């Protein structure tokens, strides 16, 4: 009899286990919220190098002693630039140097005959100051500028060249397309003052230039 009672108890307990397991709820661990990365402000600091091209409106104001004449040496330009920026709370401080080649030779008539004039290689060393709105930089720039002027007297074949020194000032907008690559558009005015290179044709000359250049640079 005791054996029958024990066996019945075991069977009852065994039949209750599935029902108890069915009533139990498995609590899964809470899911972690996905981490959303917030992009930071673009850092304009560091070294960079670039290439640029554009158009320059170069003017030559010369006089033969009796008549003053303004002539244009307009043409395309091709160059390169390099610089270094410091970025601090939206402000960008930097220094930049550039070199370019002008394609602008023209022939003019003077009281002494016909002359062919051109500016060839030129460049500048400038300071830059700007303010960045994330990946867009608005800046001003100014400093020392130089250009090489050549003049030939077509009537007798004599020629002379001189490197002219002056100053330049301008402004531009630059945008960083990626973390390392940026494009820009820049306007500059350059004044190279008087030059005695035009004395070859019996004239005194003054050279200045307005240029609009677009560029593409890589930051390191």
């Amino acid at each position: 009899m005791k054996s029958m009672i024990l066996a019945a108890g075991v069977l009852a307990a065994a039949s209750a286990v599935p029902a108890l397991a069915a009533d139990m709820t498995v609590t899964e661990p809470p899911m972690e919220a996905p981490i959303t990365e917030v992009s930071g402000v673009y850092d304009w600091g560091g070294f960079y190098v670039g290439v640029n091209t554009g158009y320059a409106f170069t003017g030559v104001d010369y006089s033969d002693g009796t008549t003053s004449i303004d002539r244009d040496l307009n043409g395309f330009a091709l160059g390169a630039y390099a610089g270094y920026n410091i970025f601090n709370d939206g402000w960008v401080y930097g220094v930049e140097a550039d070199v370019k080649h002008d394609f602008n030779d023209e022939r003019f008539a003077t009281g002494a005959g016909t002359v062919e004039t051109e500016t060839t290689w030129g460049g500048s060393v400038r300071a830059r100051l700007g303010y960045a709105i994330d990946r867009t930089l608005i800046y001003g720039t100014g400093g020392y500028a130089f250009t090489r002027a050549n003049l030939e007297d077509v009537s007798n074949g004599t020629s002379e060249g001189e490197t002219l020194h002056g100053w330049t000032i301008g402004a531009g907008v630059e945008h960083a397309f990626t973390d390392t690559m940026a494009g820009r558009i820049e306007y500059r005015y350059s004044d190279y003052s008087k030059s005695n290179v035009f004395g070859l044709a019996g004239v005194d000359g003054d050279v200045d230039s307005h240029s609009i250049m677009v560029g593409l640079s890589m930051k390191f």
Side-chain angles (χ1 to χ4, degrees):
M1 179 64 68
K2 291 181 178 180
S3 297
M4 292 179 63
I5 294 173
L6 180 60
V10 171
L11 290 174
S15 63
V17 169
L20 181 62
D23 293 338
M24 294 178 63
T25 301
V26 178
T27 303
E28 296 183 358
M31 295 182 61
E32 295 183 0
I35 299 175
T36 303
E37 294 186 1
V38 179
S39 57
V41 176
Y42 179 74
D43 184 3
W44 284 91
F47 290 98
Y48 60 91
V49 296
V51 293
N52 58 359
T53 186
Y55 200 83
F57 302 87
T58 301
V60 178
D61 177 10
Y62 63 82
S63 172
D64 59 9
T66 58
T67 306
S68 295
I69 304 174
D70 290 331
R71 296 296 186 183
D72 294 327
L73 298 176
N74 301 334
F76 289 97
L78 183 66
Y81 56 94
Y84 182 80
N85 288 327
I86 298 174
F87 181 63
N88 183 18
D89 195 24
W91 291 97
V92 177
Y93 313 87
V95 61
E96 182 176 291
D98 70 275
V99 62
K100 67 181 177 70
H101 189 278
D102 294 313
F103 302 89
N104 61 10
D105 60 307
E106 296 287 348
R107 288 191 176 189
F108 308 134
T110 71
T114 301
V115 297
E116 183 172 283
T117 308
E118 66 176 342
T119 56
T120 55
W121 289 101
S124 68
V125 179
R126 296 167 283 105
R128 291 209 311 165
L129 173 62
Y131 188 79
I133 306 172
D134 196 6
R135 289 181 175 268
T136 300
L137 171 65
I138 302 172
Y139 66 90
T141 184
Y144 162 78
F146 70 93
T147 191
R148 180 72 178 177
N150 296 325
L151 182 143
E152 179 182 356
D153 190 331
V154 179
S155 60
N156 56 30
T158 57
S159 62
E160 185 175 336
E162 181 186 2
T163 300
L164 313 181
H165 305 274
W167 54 270
T168 184
I169 190 170
V173 178
E174 194 164 1
H175 182 78
F177 300 110
T178 69
D179 288 344
T180 58
M181 189 168 293
R184 68 164 61 170
I185 181 169
E186 180 181 276
Y187 162 80
R188 289 221 318 266
Y189 171 75
S190 303
D191 190 336
Y192 304 104
S193 192
K194 295 287 183 181
S195 168
N196 59 17
V197 67
F198 303 100
L200 180 69
V203 298
D204 295 322
D206 185 14
V207 179
D208 62 4
S209 176
H210 300 265
S211 65
I212 300 175
M213 305 286 284
V214 294
L216 186 65
S217 66
M218 179 168 290
K219 183 167 76 78
F220 298 94

